[in-house]
Amino acid sequence: MLPDSKDLTILFAHPAYRLHDRFAVRGTGIRAFQVGSREELAARASEADVVVVSGLWDNALLEKAPKLRFVQSVSAGVDQYDQAAFRARGVRLASAQGVNANAVSEHAMSLILAMARLLPQARDNQAKHHWRGMIGEIARREDELGGKTLLVVGLGRIGGRLARLAKAFGMHVVGLRRDPAAGADGADEVHSIASLKEWLPRADIVALTCPLTPETTGLIGAEALAAMKPTARLVNVARGKVVDEAALIAALREGRIAGAALDVVVEEPLPESSPLWDLPNVFITPHSAGETQRYEDNVLDILVENLDRLQRGEDRLHNQIV
């Protein structure tokens, strides 16, 4: 159980999100403060009963924070947390799964539309004050989505909503998930992720919305890319390591797939030396799919619910991991 609210201290740790400011507006009376760097977090972790964090987390903090009872992740992904160490220390952990389902699915749909309508090229032409003329070569023109096949790899909350959005544009949506019995969730049909190689040659767009697990690490490698149509495009709003980046770069350079829209990459920020920056058939956004003006409040809704559960001594947390 957590201490009473009057004795509780929450440490918000994030370099950009205004978590403490938005929490203060709620008037809970709970003591809270925010840090913006790993160094500050390490220096003040010992003061906290609860830490709200994502990218700044370091598992060594478990040894430096004797009061720590609960970590609320700001992100849906939890691969940065050593779950065995959390269990050994008796520290609870919950994710922010679902908090950005609308945002990420909308971003993925935006990337699909941007590639189909050649919007990155249009923006580049605007920067150069260049009015592009009509295109005679059919294969180089903007395209329509109606009738195209979208393969959604990972049919959870994000993938399911993306399926529904794509259906509104007249796309045929095939969803792959670990357990097809969990339902199609907006897709026209659903199959096991084990059938990925069967469906890759049929897809016009492959969208990755799956979590990063040992099974999905490197899921889209040289063999998978070779199975895709040369006219197909890849959209990744999952995690960078779901894709073999070297194999993707080779496929894009050689024109073995038509293009890729990437919100996530293996190393973030993407190094200046990465070939991805300069490939004309790549569209990059800076892991911003989940960001919205409501993000902090959405996370805090989960945090407050979990604080209430812990203070009541309940065993089960919302989005419980440990």
Side-chain angles (χ1 to χ4, degrees), residues 286-298:
H287 204 148
S288 57
E291 292 188 9
T292 73
Q293 296 176 25
R294 277 198 49 83
Y295 194 89
E296 286 91 339
D297 290 315
N298 291 340

Side-chain angles (χ1 to χ4, degrees), residues 255-301:
R256 289 187 276 112
I257 64 172
L262 309 172
D263 185 59
V264 290
V265 289
V266 171
E267 183 180 349
E268 297 179 3
L270 184 64
E272 289 185 18
S273 60
S274 172
L276 290 170
W277 285 116
D278 298 313
L279 289 173
N281 50 356
V282 174
F283 184 30
I284 296 169
T285 55
H287 204 148
S288 57
E291 292 188 9
T292 73
Q293 296 176 25
R294 277 198 49 83
Y295 194 89
E296 286 91 339
D297 290 315
N298 291 340
V299 171
L300 292 174
D301 287 344

Side-chain angles (χ1 to χ4, degrees), residues 35-283:
V35 299
S37 69
R38 287 180 182 271
E39 293 74 21
E40 289 180 290
L41 175 56
R44 301 196 65 183
S46 62
E47 302 174 43
D49 302 288
V50 174
V51 172
V52 184
V53 65
S54 58
L56 297 182
W57 176 258
D58 183 333
N59 289 301
L61 292 170
L62 289 170
E63 299 297 326
K64 299 177 181 179
K67 293 174 55 182
L68 185 62
R69 293 294 176 267
F70 172 49
V71 171
Q72 174 65 62
S73 182
V74 176
S75 62
V78 293
D79 45 288
Q80 67 269 46
Y81 305 101
D82 183 339
Q83 295 180 31
F86 271 73
R87 292 187 184 94
R89 297 281 298 180
V91 177
R92 306 296 300 277
L93 172 66
S95 78
Q97 183 181 11
V99 74
N100 58 7
N102 288 354
V104 177
S105 58
E106 290 169 13
H107 194 88
M109 194 70 228
S110 299
L111 295 177
I112 292 169
L113 284 163
M115 288 193 293
R117 302 306 305 167
L118 305 184
L119 296 184
Q121 294 90 323
R123 184 66 178 184
D124 291 344
N125 286 335
Q126 179 180 343
K128 294 182 284 191
H129 297 193
H130 171 67
W131 185 277
R132 192 208 75 191
M134 297 179 70
I135 298 175
E137 186 180 342
I138 292 175
R140 292 180 53 234
R141 295 179 193 163
E142 289 86 349
D143 206 355
E144 302 175 22
L145 294 179
K148 294 280 195 296
T149 296
L150 170 64
L151 181 64
V152 179
V153 182
L155 202 64
R157 298 180 195 181
I158 293 169
R161 188 161 187 268
L162 173 59
R164 294 190 291 276
L165 292 173
K167 288 290 293 176
F169 285 88
M171 302 189 78
H172 179 77
V173 182
V174 178
L176 303 184
R177 66 191 315 168
R178 185 170 50 188
D179 179 16
D185 198 12
D188 292 291
E189 48 188 305
V190 61
H191 304 278
S192 168
I193 285 187
S195 65
L196 175 67
K197 292 177 185 176
E198 174 189 347
W199 285 101
L200 284 172
R202 309 186 198 184
D204 298 295
I205 297 169
V206 177
L208 306 177
T209 57
C210 52
L212 181 66
T213 66
E215 292 73 28
T216 61
T217 299
L219 184 69
I220 304 298
E223 186 177 353
L225 291 162
M228 292 172 62
K229 297 178 182 180
T231 55
R233 293 179 170 91
L234 178 72
V235 174
N236 190 3
V237 293
R239 286 291 185 268
K241 291 181 181 179
V242 175
V243 177
D244 179 333
E245 207 161 89
L248 175 62
I249 290 168
L252 290 164
R253 277 177 168 164
E254 297 165 15
R256 289 187 276 112
I257 64 172
L262 309 172
D263 185 59
V264 290
V265 289
V266 171
E267 183 180 349
E268 297 179 3
L270 184 64
E272 289 185 18
S273 60
S274 172
L276 290 170
W277 285 116
D278 298 313
L279 289 173
N281 50 356
V282 174
F283 184 30

